[in-house]
Amino acid sequence: QVQLVESGGGLVQAGGSLRLSCAASGRIFSIGTMGWYRQAPGKQRELVAHIFTGGKTNYADSMKGRFTISRDNAKNTVYLQMNSLKPEDTAVYYCRVWYDDGLGLKDYWGQGTQVTVSS
């Protein structure tokens, strides 16, 4: 089935930057929307950003202007450039990919990568 490999997380000081990546592999007929979500301990998972097949994006308000989502369709990879990071951005970040396996649209989650922002 589909596998998502995430990378780029780590520890950074407030005001710093990180770039996350998520590469999809497996038997995929086509990939649709890709996205990033995050979850802090004891909190619900929340949307960070989506990028659609045509390149259109949306962002959660707290990330707008600081984060940029992009995709490389040839590599089946989605990226998240995070700038001006704040301690409240600390969370596990998960990628999510919608795909068509030939039977209809489905989605798959990555295992998450930790982002820690120190004050």
Side-chain angles (χ1 to χ4, degrees):
Q1 204 186 351
V2 174
Q3 299 180 61
L4 302 179
V5 179
E6 300 184 33
S7 63
L11 175 65
V12 65
Q13 293 187 60
S17 299
L18 286 173
R19 181 176 171 87
L20 307 182
S21 64
C22 175
S25 63
R27 299 187 65 178
I28 304 170
F29 182 75
S30 63
I31 291 179
T33 300
M34 297 181 171
W36 289 96
Y37 296 72
R38 69 184 186 185
Q39 188 168 23
K43 300 188 69 176
Q44 287 188 300
R45 192 169 299 184
E46 64 175 343
L47 171 69
V48 174
H50 284 144
I51 183 165
F52 305 98
T53 55
K56 189 175 182 180
T57 60
N58 62 16
Y59 298 87
D61 287 342
S62 63
M63 272 69 78
K64 196 172 186 179
R66 299 188 298 121
F67 292 7
T68 302
I69 188 171
S70 61
R71 63 191 288 165
D72 185 336
N73 290 330
K75 297 180 179 180
N76 290 336
T77 300
V78 60
Y79 304 93
L80 184 68
Q81 178 67 45
M82 303 184 293
N83 299 323
S84 302
L85 283 163
K86 306 174 182 179
E88 51 262 46
D89 295 320
T90 296
V92 177
Y93 284 70
Y94 299 88
C95 62
R96 187 182 187 184
V97 177
W98 281 264
Y99 65 96
D100 187 351
D101 64 357
L103 300 176
L105 194 66
K106 300 178 180 179
D107 72 319
Y108 200 88
W109 292 88
Q111 294 300 305
T113 184
Q114 178 71 46
V115 171
T116 302
V117 184
S118 62
S119 60

